[in-house]
Amino acid sequence: MGKKVLIVGGVAGGASTAARLRRVDEEAEIIIFEKGEHISFANCGLPYHIGEVIKERDKLLVQTPKAMEARFNIDVRVMNEVLSIDKEKKEVKVKDWAKGEVYTESYDALVLSPGADPIKPPLAGIDNKNIFTLRNIPDTDQIKEFVDNNKPEHAVVVGAGYIGVEMAENLYHRGVEVSVVELAPQVLGPIDEDMAAIVHNHMRSKGINLYLSDGVKAFREENNKTIVELESGVEIEADLVVMSIGVKPSTKLAKDAGLELGETGAIKVNEYLQTSDESIYAIGDAIEVVDFVTKEPAHIPLAGPANKQGRIVANNLSGKKEKFIGTQGTAIAKVFDLTVAATGNNEKQLKKAGIDYQVSYTNSKNHAGYYPGAIPMTIKIIFTPDEGKLLGAQIVGYEGVDKRIDILATTIRFEKTVFDLQELELAYAPPFGSAKDPVNMAGFVAGNILNGMVDIIHWHELEDLSKDTIVLDVREEVEVQLGKIDDSINIPLNSLRNRLDELDKGKEIVVYCAVGLRGYIGARILMQHGFKKVKNLSGGYKLYKEIMNDKKKVLNDCNTPDCDKLNTASNPEEGQLVGKQLADKQGGKRIKLDACGLQCPGPIMQVANKMKELDEGDILEVIATDPGFTADIGAWCKSTGNKLLDTGQGGHNFSATIQKGQGRTVIATENTKNKKTMVVFSGELDRAIASFIIANGAAAMGSEVTLFFTFWGLNILRKKENIKVEKSMMDKMFGKMMPQGSEKLPLSNMNMFGMGPKMIRKVMKDKGVDSLEALIGQAKLNGVRLVACQMSMDVMGIKKEELIDGVEIGGVASFLSDAEESNMSLFI
C-alpha cells in the first residue's frame, strides 16, 4: 500500500492535488474531505448563473464525487468536515454531517485546501433576510431563488472587487437597478485609479449608481425593504443586498493545530508549499504567497495559482521536488462590454514597497484598422526607470485584451524588459492583430521614454504646471471642437513646422493629442528645432477626459425615467426599442440612421445632415462603428442644442439616441464668431481631402464655412469632362498641363506616377472613408461656400463654365470679409 494522503477541501486546489497525485502515483491512498456537497465547482461562474448567462446549474459542477471516484480511484467524502488536526498522532477528527457521526482518520501526509471565507463585518442589521454573500453553490442557489421569486427592483452590491462588479452586471441583466458601494475610491483594486476611471464611466453609462469612498454604516428593515445607511449619511433603499467586500483566509483549522500563520494572516508555507509541519502542506486561498514582483508576503486568492499549487504539492508528495516561486496576480474580468485585465504590480503596490518605476500608456486597436470591427484598447505598463524591466500591466478594452495581458504576464514571469516587448514576433493577420501588435507598440513607446527620445508628463501633473507653460494641442480643429484641455492652444500637427515662430522657445511646452502618438511626433519636431523643454502627455486627451469625467461624475444629459431606461439598455437594439417608446410617448417621429463603416467625422456629419430633415422633438437613432462616436456625439449635441438621450455599445456597434432640440443651447452674443475660412492653395489629393474633411466637420458642428480656392487649388473644382469655351493658346496649354478635376489630382508625396492616388483611394474605400468627390458633395449639402478666386482663374485661364456646379466666383476682398468674421482661418 502506498502513502496515505488526506486532502481537506476540494474545488480548485484540493481537487487538482488529488487528480495529479493519482496520475503520478497509482498506489497512493487518497481521501478528500469536503464539508459541502460539491467537490469541485466553478466559483468564477457563480454570478453568471444568477444573471442567467449560464442557464444550467449543472454546468457549474466541474467534477462530481462519483465521477472523480470512478476515474481516479479516490475516496471522496462530501458533507464531511475536518474538525481538528493532531500533528503528533498524525490524524484528523472528522464529522460526517449526513450520519451525524464523528470519527478519526490517520495520514502520512495532509494537504489543507480550506479556501477563504467571505468577510461579513459586525454591522447592525447584517443578518436581515434579504442580505446575502456569494461564495459557493448554496449561496448562488439562495440569491437566484430570491431574484426569481421576488423580482427585486433595486439591489445594492457592497464591495466592488471582481465578484462585486460581476454581480452588479448580472443583476442588471436581470432587470434590477443596481447601486455599488465601495469604501475605496475606485472599483477593481488591482488596477490603478486612472484605468479604473474608464470602468467607472462605462458602468455609469449603463445606469449603475456608484458610491465610491463610502462605506456601509448599518442596515435596517422598513416595509420588507432594507435601508442601507452609508457613512456619508446617504441612505439607499434596496430589495436585495449582496455583500462582496472581500474574503479572508480560512485558517481556524491550521491555527488550532498550532501551524504558523504569516504576516498577512494566512497560513505560512515554504517554497515547497509545506507548513511549519513538514508533513502538512497548504494551498489555495488559505495560504500566504510571495508576490512575484516585490518578493514580499501577500495574500492573492486566485483560481489559477491554486490549481498550479495543487499540481506542485502532488509532485512533491510523489518525490518530484518542485518549488512554487510566487504569484503575480494575473486576472481578467468582464464589465458589461468592457474587458479589464491586470498582471504584476500596480502603482499603489510599488509605492508601498518603495520600488521606483516609470509608467506609459498606449492606445491601440485590437486588430488591423482597415479590417472591419477594429476597436481600441488602453494599455498601461509599469517598468523600472533604468533597464525597463516590466513590473506590471493593465488593459481596458473590448476585444483582444486577454491575448495581450497574457503576453505581458509572460514577460513579467520571465523578468524581461520593455525592449523585449519590441522584439516579440506575434501572430498577425488583419482579423486578429496588427503588424505592430499593441504589445509591440507598448514596448516602443516605453523604449522611447527610456532612451530619451521624449520626455513625458502624466495627467495628474498638469494641475501643477506653471502659468508660463504652453499647453499645445496638435489635434485637428474638428477634434478640438469636441473638447480640449483648458487654456491649451491649437496648432494641428501637420501645420506645426510652418508655425514654430508662434511658440516661445524659452518656455516649457506640453504637447498633447488624442492618445499620444501625434503628441510624440509633435514633441520630436519641437525638440529638433531647438525647443529644450518639451513634454508629451502620456495617454493623450482621451485618457485625460476619462479621468476628468470620472472626477466630475459626468453622466449623459438625461434626467427622466424614460431616459433611465435608455441608459440601462443592454445593447443598441434594446436602446432603440426604448427610444421608440419614448418617441411614441412624446408624439415625435423616430428615424434610424446607419453610419457604420464611416470614420470621424463621417458619423457626426451624417447626424448633422439628417437632423436638418427632422422636426423639433423628433428622435434620431444612430448606429456607428467608430469607437469615438459616442464621445463625439455628446459634444456635438451640447454645441448644437440637441438632446442626447442615450449612448450604448454592443458588439462592434456604437449607438446614440438623439432628440432634435430640447437641449441646452449656447446663447449667442454680438461677439460670438462661429465662422471658419480656409484658403485652398494646393491642388494635391491628400490636402484636398483634408480640406473637405475639416470643412464638413466644422459645418456639422454648426459653423458657417467658406473655402477660397486659389491657383492650383482651382483644379479641385474643375469638371472632369472637356467644356467648349474660347481660350487663348497659352490658356489651352495651361489647361492641358494641369489635372482636370478631382479624380486626376496627384499626391503631395509618394505619387509614384499616378499609382499613389489610386492606392490611397482604395485604402479609403476599404476603411470606409468617403472619397474626395463624396466629401465635395457633402460640403455642398452642408452649406459650405465654395469660392473660386477670380484673379487666379484669369491667370490660369480657367473659365467659370469649367467649374463644377455650386461654385461662387469672388475676389480677395470677399474672402477677407469672411475671414474677419471667422474664429478660424487655415491655409492649405
Side-chain angles (χ1 to χ4, degrees):
M1 192 69 181
K3 183 184 294 185
K4 184 176 182 179
V5 179
L6 305 185
I7 301 173
V8 182
V11 198
S16 63
T17 302
R20 172 65 177 177
L21 183 57
R22 175 57 72 221
R23 290 195 296 271
V24 297
D25 188 349
E26 184 66 20
E27 301 300 320
E29 180 184 358
I30 307 171
I31 304 173
I32 296 180
F33 301 99
E34 173 56 54
K35 65 180 179 181
E37 59 180 309
H38 303 287
I39 186 65
S40 183
F41 60 90
N43 295 71
C44 301
L46 302 182
Y48 297 99
H49 179 53
I50 295 170
E52 298 190 332
V53 176
I54 301 173
K55 296 186 180 298
E56 298 176 27
R57 178 179 180 274
D58 288 348
K59 288 188 176 180
L60 296 173
L61 305 177
V62 179
Q63 188 71 273
T64 64
K66 286 185 178 180
M68 196 160 192
E69 288 173 350
R71 174 166 295 184
F72 295 106
N73 187 27
I74 292 170
D75 185 354
V76 180
R77 302 180 188 178
V78 295
M79 303 301 291
N80 275 246
E81 181 180 4
V82 175
L83 302 177
S84 62
I85 303 168
D86 189 325
K87 295 186 297 181
E88 282 68 33
K89 293 182 179 180
K90 299 185 75 169
E91 63 182 26
V92 297
K93 183 183 290 186
V94 185
K95 181 164 185 177
D96 186 332
W97 287 99
K99 297 178 180 179
E101 299 175 354
V102 176
Y103 63 96
T104 60
E105 194 75 55
S106 63
Y107 64 82
D108 295 314
L110 177 65
V111 180
L112 300 181
S113 180
D117 302 315
I119 297 173
K120 195 172 181 181
L123 299 173
I126 198 168
D127 294 321
N128 290 352
K129 60 184 179 181
N130 59 349
I131 300 179
F132 302 89
T133 57
L134 178 62
R135 184 63 182 170
N136 52 36
I137 294 288
D139 293 341
T140 306
D141 292 339
Q142 289 178 25
I143 297 173
K144 190 172 188 304
E145 182 181 359
F146 184 92
V147 175
D148 291 344
N149 296 336
N150 296 277
K151 302 293 188 291
E153 294 181 356
H154 189 193
V156 171
V157 177
V158 182
Y162 288 111
I163 295 297
V165 169
E166 289 167 355
M167 273 305 308
E169 177 182 349
N170 281 280
L171 289 172
Y172 158 92
H173 285 315
R174 295 295 304 272
V176 184
E177 181 185 352
V178 182
S179 295
V180 175
V181 178
E182 171 57 55
L183 186 59
Q186 67 170 79
V187 304
L188 302 175
I191 64 176
D192 287 310
E193 61 173 322
D194 40 22
M195 301 295 278
I198 305 172
V199 183
H200 295 166
N201 295 331
H202 190 67
M203 293 179 71
R204 290 190 184 105
S205 76
K206 296 296 184 180
I208 302 297
N209 306 306
L210 294 180
Y211 295 89
L212 305 175
S213 300
D214 208 347
V216 175
K217 183 179 180 181
F219 303 97
R220 70 174 191 272
E221 280 196 57
E222 286 185 8
N223 302 320
N224 291 322
K225 294 182 181 291
T226 293
I227 307 300
V228 184
E229 302 176 20
L230 304 186
E231 294 286 353
S232 63
V234 172
E235 294 189 348
I236 311 171
E237 186 180 274
D239 305 297
L240 166 69
V241 177
V242 179
M243 297 296 296
S244 182
I245 61 176
V247 295
K248 57 182 179 181
S250 182
T251 59
K252 185 177 185 306
L253 193 62
K255 186 177 181 180
D256 289 349
L259 298 178
E260 187 178 350
L261 303 184
E263 295 178 22
T264 63
I267 301 171
K268 186 173 183 177
V269 294
N270 63 15
E271 57 191 359
Y272 297 104
L273 298 172
Q274 291 170 302
T275 67
S276 52
D277 184 313
E278 63 179 13
S279 298
I280 303 176
Y281 294 78
I283 57 177
D285 294 356
I287 71 168
E288 180 177 272
V289 296
V290 173
D291 183 298
F292 184 80
V293 175
T294 66
K295 310 304 180 186
E296 294 182 353
H299 181 236
I300 307 175
L302 291 170
N307 275 282
K308 293 178 181 65
Q309 291 159 12
R311 181 184 178 90
I312 290 171
V313 165
N315 288 343
N316 288 330
L317 287 170
S318 64
K320 304 176 186 295
K321 284 293 185 180
E322 187 175 345
K323 297 178 181 180
F324 180 71
I325 60 174
T327 299
Q328 65 192 70
T330 305
I332 191 167
K334 176 181 178 294
V335 185
F336 294 96
D337 309 307
L338 284 180
T339 304
V340 183
T343 186
N345 276 193
N346 56 36
E347 290 192 65
K348 299 183 291 286
Q349 292 169 310
L350 293 170
K351 286 176 182 176
K352 184 178 179 181
I355 297 175
D356 290 335
Y357 63 87
Q358 178 61 281
V359 172
S360 73
Y361 305 87
T362 50
N363 190 280
S364 304
K365 292 178 181 178
N366 63 315
H367 59 61
Y370 58 84
Y371 188 86
I375 299 180
M377 65 182 75
T378 301
I379 300 179
K380 175 180 183 176
I381 60 172
I382 309 174
F383 46 94
T384 59
D386 43 16
E387 61 179 339
K389 179 181 174 183
L390 197 61
L391 301 174
Q394 301 159 40
I395 309 179
V396 178
Y398 293 94
E399 294 186 0
V401 170
D402 52 344
K403 171 182 175 179
R404 277 69 188 204
I405 202 68
D406 285 343
I407 296 169
L408 294 167
T410 305
T411 304
I412 293 174
R413 178 59 57 161
F414 290 100
E415 299 185 310
K416 298 299 182 180
T417 71
V418 298
F419 300 104
D420 293 309
L421 295 180
Q422 301 177 7
E423 299 298 325
L424 291 176
E425 184 177 332
L426 304 172
Y428 161 60
F432 306 107
S434 300
K436 292 179 182 177
D437 191 84
V439 170
N440 298 134
M441 291 304 300
F444 292 141
V445 171
N448 285 338
I449 295 170
L450 293 178
N451 287 332
M453 291 290 290
V454 67
D455 193 5
I456 60 169
I457 188 171
H458 295 295
W459 60 270
H460 57 83
E461 297 174 297
L462 292 181
E463 60 185 23
D464 297 326
L465 294 175
S466 71
K467 293 182 180 179
D468 291 334
T469 301
I470 298 172
V471 181
L472 175 62
D473 184 345
V474 295
R475 297 175 299 158
E476 297 300 320
E477 171 70 15
V478 69
E479 297 176 86
V480 179
Q481 292 174 340
L482 301 175
K484 66 173 187 175
I485 295 175
D486 290 344
D487 300 322
S488 61
I489 63 171
N490 176 232
I491 301 178
L493 178 62
N494 293 347
S495 305
L496 184 57
R497 289 184 180 88
N498 297 325
R499 298 175 62 182
L500 294 174
D501 57 350
E502 298 177 29
L503 301 173
D504 187 340
K505 289 186 177 181
K507 292 184 178 181
E508 179 182 32
I509 300 178
V510 172
V511 188
Y512 78 91
C513 64
V515 297
L517 176 58
R518 283 175 291 172
Y520 167 68
I521 297 171
R524 290 298 303 162
I525 291 172
L526 293 175
M527 291 167 68
Q528 293 179 84
H529 282 83
F531 291 81
K532 303 297 184 184
K533 295 178 285 186
V534 182
K535 293 181 179 179
N536 181 33
L537 177 61
S538 186
Y541 180 72
K542 181 178 179 181
L543 179 64
Y544 174 83
K545 185 178 179 181
E546 290 279 8
I547 295 165
M548 294 303 107
N549 284 351
D550 179 37
K551 289 182 180 296
K552 298 173 185 176
K553 299 180 175 59
V554 171
L555 298 172
N556 292 332
D557 185 15
C558 180
N559 300 304
T560 69
D562 294 300
C563 291
D564 288 339
K565 294 178 184 176
L566 280 165
N567 284 335
T568 55
S570 60
N571 53 57
E573 290 73 23
E574 182 182 343
Q576 289 177 353
L577 175 61
V578 180
K580 177 183 182 302
Q581 296 168 349
L582 180 56
D584 293 342
K585 181 176 178 180
Q586 296 183 345
K589 292 182 296 184
R590 177 176 60 90
I591 308 297
K592 293 185 177 181
L593 175 63
D594 186 346
C596 294
L598 300 176
Q599 294 188 1
C600 176
I604 295 293
M605 292 165 52
Q606 292 276 331
V607 170
N609 289 331
K610 183 60 68 174
M611 276 293 183
K612 295 175 184 177
E613 303 172 10
L614 304 186
D615 297 325
E616 192 84 2
D618 288 349
I619 288 180
L620 183 65
E621 298 168 357
V622 191
I623 291 183
T625 48
D626 174 22
F629 172 67
T630 51
D632 290 347
I633 196 64
W636 182 85
C637 286
K638 286 182 180 179
S639 67
T640 56
N642 295 295
K643 187 170 186 179
L644 179 63
L645 299 178
D646 171 64
T647 59
Q649 189 263 330
H652 293 158
N653 291 337
F654 298 81
S655 66
T657 305
I658 310 153
Q659 188 172 28
K660 183 166 182 176
Q662 312 297 318
R664 302 185 184 97
T665 55
V666 179
I667 300 175
T669 67
E670 291 183 356
N671 294 323
T672 298
K673 294 182 179 180
N674 196 25
K675 291 186 177 182
K676 317 292 180 191
T677 55
M678 282 187 278
V679 175
V680 185
F681 177 86
S682 172
E684 293 157 329
L685 176 62
D686 42 351
R687 294 189 168 109
I689 292 170
S691 301
F692 278 94
I693 287 177
I694 296 170
N696 284 330
M701 295 294 295
S703 296
E704 296 179 30
V705 183
T706 299
L707 296 183
F708 189 75
F709 295 84
T710 182
F711 282 95
W712 312 116
L714 290 170
N715 291 314
I716 301 168
L717 303 180
R718 292 179 68 189
K719 294 176 180 176
K720 63 180 180 180
E721 61 269 16
N722 289 320
I723 304 299
K724 291 184 178 181
V725 291
E726 287 190 18
K727 288 189 177 184
S728 67
M729 182 61 69
M730 186 66 71
D731 289 344
K732 288 180 181 179
M733 290 178 62
F734 258 109
K736 291 290 185 182
M737 294 168 63
M738 295 185 299
Q740 187 168 325
S742 60
E743 294 181 3
K744 301 293 186 180
L745 300 179
L747 283 179
S748 61
N749 290 292
M750 297 174 62
N751 190 56
M752 298 185 294
F753 302 100
M755 288 298 295
K758 292 179 180 179
M759 293 170 64
I760 197 68
R761 284 178 179 270
K762 183 180 185 305
V763 171
M764 290 171 65
K765 183 179 179 181
D766 291 343
K767 293 187 177 183
V769 179
D770 288 326
S771 66
L772 174 57
E773 292 70 39
L775 291 169
I776 294 172
Q778 291 169 12
K780 293 180 182 179
L781 293 173
N782 287 333
V784 175
R785 291 182 63 206
L786 308 180
V787 181
C789 175
Q790 181 67 70
M791 181 273 294
S792 297
M793 290 174 63
D794 293 339
V795 170
M796 304 183 75
I798 296 176
K799 305 297 183 181
K800 181 178 180 181
E801 293 86 349
E802 295 180 277
L803 302 181
I804 60 177
D805 295 338
V807 177
E808 302 173 35
I809 308 300
V812 175
S814 175
F815 166 73
L816 292 177
S817 176
D818 280 343
E820 183 66 22
E821 297 177 8
S822 298
N823 59 6
M824 182 192 84
S825 292
L826 296 178
F827 187 94
I828 297 179

